[in-house]
Amino acid sequence: MISGLGLGMVSWVDGLSLFMGFVSAIGVIALRKARITDDSNTILFYLMSIGLIITVILFSHQFKGPTSREGLLLLGMGVFAYLGQYTVTNGFKYVKVLEGSLISSSRIFIATICGIFFLGEPFSETIVGGGSLIFIGIVLVSLKGKDKKNKEIKK
């Protein structure tokens, strides 16, 4: 609903996005497990190395050397991307898988709000509906998780 999907028009891209949701969940679980044995720098090294290899394989034929200004901007983007990813990766050692997936899911909602306010993205009822469903889902899952935790404590 957030992306403006017409309910009567389902395409292969919608299936791909559902599949990527599962891949994201697997990623959160794998990251959580990797945090047990490896530090954030090691995880980021492998994460970014794999990303670089995949990017080179898929897009090297389209590569165009950046200008000096573009190179500077790319360097800045790289530094901030690394710092952001380091913060997220490091933070996952302090949360459970459920909490991590909730945090990960909330980024869709936050990105939509930022797009509307800062980038002039269109705003519609379907965006409100989709955002509300995501928000309600996050709240319900977190309440269920807290309820389950409280029951375990009482036992």
Side-chain angles (χ1 to χ4, degrees):
M1 290 178 76
I2 283 183
S3 66
L5 168 70
L7 294 179
M9 303 178 334
V10 178
S11 71
W12 69 273
V13 177
D14 302 318
L16 181 62
S17 66
L18 182 61
F19 173 71
M20 292 311 296
F22 287 112
V23 170
S24 176
I26 292 168
V28 168
I29 292 168
L31 180 60
R32 178 84 172 132
K33 289 189 182 286
R35 287 292 311 135
I36 294 170
T37 57
D38 298 312
D39 68 346
S40 296
N41 287 320
T42 304
I43 294 169
L44 286 178
F45 174 76
Y46 284 103
L47 179 74
M48 293 184 177
S49 296
I50 291 168
L52 176 65
I53 291 167
I54 291 171
T55 301
V56 168
I57 290 170
L58 295 177
F59 299 105
S60 62
H61 66 283
Q62 296 177 342
F63 183 75
K64 177 187 110 178
T67 64
S68 299
R69 182 176 183 275
E70 291 169 340
L72 189 60
L73 290 172
L74 285 170
L75 179 64
M77 287 171 44
V79 167
F80 283 106
Y82 175 81
L83 292 173
Q85 192 62 52
Y86 180 84
T87 304
V88 168
T89 303
N90 199 41
F92 270 107
K93 72 179 175 183
Y94 300 106
V95 298
K96 293 182 172 58
V97 173
L98 174 66
E99 295 165 337
S101 62
L102 291 173
I103 292 167
S104 184
S105 296
S106 67
R107 75 174 184 257
I108 301 166
F109 188 67
I110 294 167
T112 302
I113 291 170
C114 289
I116 291 167
F117 285 116
F118 302 118
L119 302 175
E121 292 289 324
F123 182 72
S124 67
E125 293 96 19
T126 57
I127 290 175
V128 172
S132 299
L133 289 174
I134 291 171
F135 184 74
I136 290 168
I138 290 170
V139 169
L140 291 175
V141 171
S142 83
L143 289 175
K144 184 177 179 181
K146 285 182 183 178
D147 186 42
K148 185 177 176 182
K149 195 177 199 179
N150 288 338
K151 285 181 182 177
E152 290 175 3
I153 292 172
K154 289 179 183 179
K155 288 182 181 180

